[in-house]
Structure formats: C-alpha cells, structure tokens
Amino acid sequence: MEVLRWLFDAQLRVGDGFILWREVIGNVFGLLSAVGGMRRKVWAWPVGIVGNAILLTVFLGAVFETPNPVNLLGQAGRQVMFIAVSVFGWVQWHRSRGASQEAVTPQWAGTRQRLLLVAALLLGTAVLTPIFRALGSYEPVWADAWIFMGSLLATWGMAKGWVEFWLFWVAVDIVGVPLLFSAGYYASGIMYLVYGGFTLAGFFVWWRVNTRQRKAATIGTGFPDLHLSVGDDRS
C-alpha cells in the first residue's frame, strides 16, 4: 500500500511546476506498447493496458484530487476505451500468432474501409464535442474529442492489422501536443512528441513488411507457372 500511495502522490519538480510520476510511468508503458506493436508482438496489448489504467487516474485530475485539477474527459475516456479495445486486440493477435511469433500480417485497408475510418473520425468528433463540453472537459473541447476518436480508430486498426492505423496516431499527436501542454500535462505532451516520430517510423516499417510479403507471395505463385511452362516445352 505504501508503494501505491507513493506512486499516486509522487511528483517531479520542474522549476515552479511539477509532473506527476504516474503520468511519466503511464506514458512509458504506452511507449513500450507502441514498440511491441511495431514489432507485432502480443505482449504489446497487456503492457498498454497497464499504462492506460495509470493514465486514467492522471487525466481525471479533479476526480482523484491530484495537484493538477484539469479534467480531460477525452483523454480519460480513451484510456477506458483503450482497455476494452486492447482486450479485443490481445485476443485477435494471440489467435493469429504464427510460428514466427509475429502476431499479425500488415495489410492495407480497402478504399471503403478508409472512407469509413475518416468519416467516423469527423462525425465522432462532431458528436462528442458538445457532450464533453457539457461534462466540463478542458477547452478546446473539439481537440479532446478528436484525440478520443482518433485513438479509438487507431487502436481498432492496429487490432485488424491495417497499415494506415499509424497515420491515425500521427493525426492524434498533431492535435494532442498543443492541447496537453496548454492543460499542464507536460510529460504527456513531451511523450506525444516522441510518439509522433515513432508512429511515422512504425508506418514505414509496416509498409515495408507488407511490400516484402506481397513480393514473396508473387514470386511464390509465379514459380509453379514457370515450371509448368518448362514442362510443356519439353513435351
């Protein structure tokens, strides 16, 4: 219990301000989860869930009576969403994991799926903005709603193995960095900057993996036809 109490109250003093250590620790777990996701490892999901649970207490500052009384309901709500969707992703990747221990095969979403993802991001942001504002979320509330929807769709896309999910994280980071800094969540804002570069790297890693797999499949299906042609010539 003493360790938990320390984790809950511990602060890192920065000049006249402070950063909660659990905000730092929660974001470290999130970064480790992103590393596991880029490497397509099942352990990325449970590690992420731990980070989500810690960050939930951070972004409900007024509820948990932390030194930072600002509530970011989109940020807090997305931690709950992360946990729920992560359980789904954990099960999906565990089922599909092959002998290589890589749990998913990166693939591009179809045109219809891309359109639905973009429409869901825009519509979801529009619907959630007045709801979050009525509940007392920090302004600009649309940014909080954008982050929530983008995170939901990115996590869903990761579970499905779509390469595009990394780009949704980039969209989240672009809006999230200024919002978090303005709300006083400096550790999370800095981590979002790190995530921004990391998600771009992850996008290109999955893109290359998908390209190699498609080339291998093309070569693999091409050899039987070649052998058949050679056989026909001999006859």
Side-chain angles (χ1 to χ4, degrees), residues 10-20 23 66-69 184 186-187:
Q11 301 175 21
L12 173 64
R13 303 304 301 185
V14 180
D16 295 331
F18 67 90
I19 296 174
L20 292 172
E23 184 181 356
T66 61
N68 189 341
Y186 302 110

Side-chain angles (χ1 to χ4, degrees), residues 72 75 138-145 147 174-185:
L72 287 177
Q75 289 282 352
Y138 186 75
E139 294 285 354
V141 181
W142 73 264
D144 207 16
I147 292 170
I174 290 173
V175 174
V177 170
L179 176 66
L180 289 166
F181 277 120
S182 67
Y185 290 107

Side-chain angles (χ1 to χ4, degrees), residues 3-24:
V3 174
L4 291 177
R5 175 53 58 186
W6 172 85
L7 175 62
F8 199 84
D9 295 335
Q11 301 175 21
L12 173 64
R13 303 304 301 185
V14 180
D16 295 331
F18 67 90
I19 296 174
L20 292 172
W21 268 111
R22 54 194 159 99
E23 184 181 356
V24 175

Side-chain angles (χ1 to χ4, degrees), residues 92-194:
Q92 288 288 102
W93 282 28
H94 182 75
R95 286 176 177 174
S96 61
R97 181 174 58 187
S100 65
Q101 301 301 304
E102 292 170 342
V104 68
T105 300
Q107 58 183 318
W108 293 98
T111 301
R112 178 174 177 273
Q113 294 163 330
R114 291 174 184 170
L115 292 174
L116 288 174
L117 288 170
V118 172
L121 176 59
L122 297 176
L123 181 61
T125 299
V127 171
L128 289 176
T129 296
I131 296 174
F132 286 171
R133 179 172 288 117
L135 292 173
S137 191
Y138 186 75
E139 294 285 354
V141 181
W142 73 264
D144 207 16
W146 173 277
I147 292 170
F148 178 89
M149 283 304 304
S151 300
L152 170 62
L153 296 171
T155 307
W156 178 262
M158 177 178 170
K160 301 291 287 185
W162 293 332
V163 177
E164 292 91 342
F165 94 87
W166 293 103
L167 298 180
F168 275 82
W169 280 129
V170 173
V172 167
D173 294 334
I174 290 173
V175 174
V177 170
L179 176 66
L180 289 166
F181 277 120
S182 67
Y185 290 107
Y186 302 110
S188 294
I190 292 171
M191 289 303 298
Y192 268 45
L193 286 173
V194 176

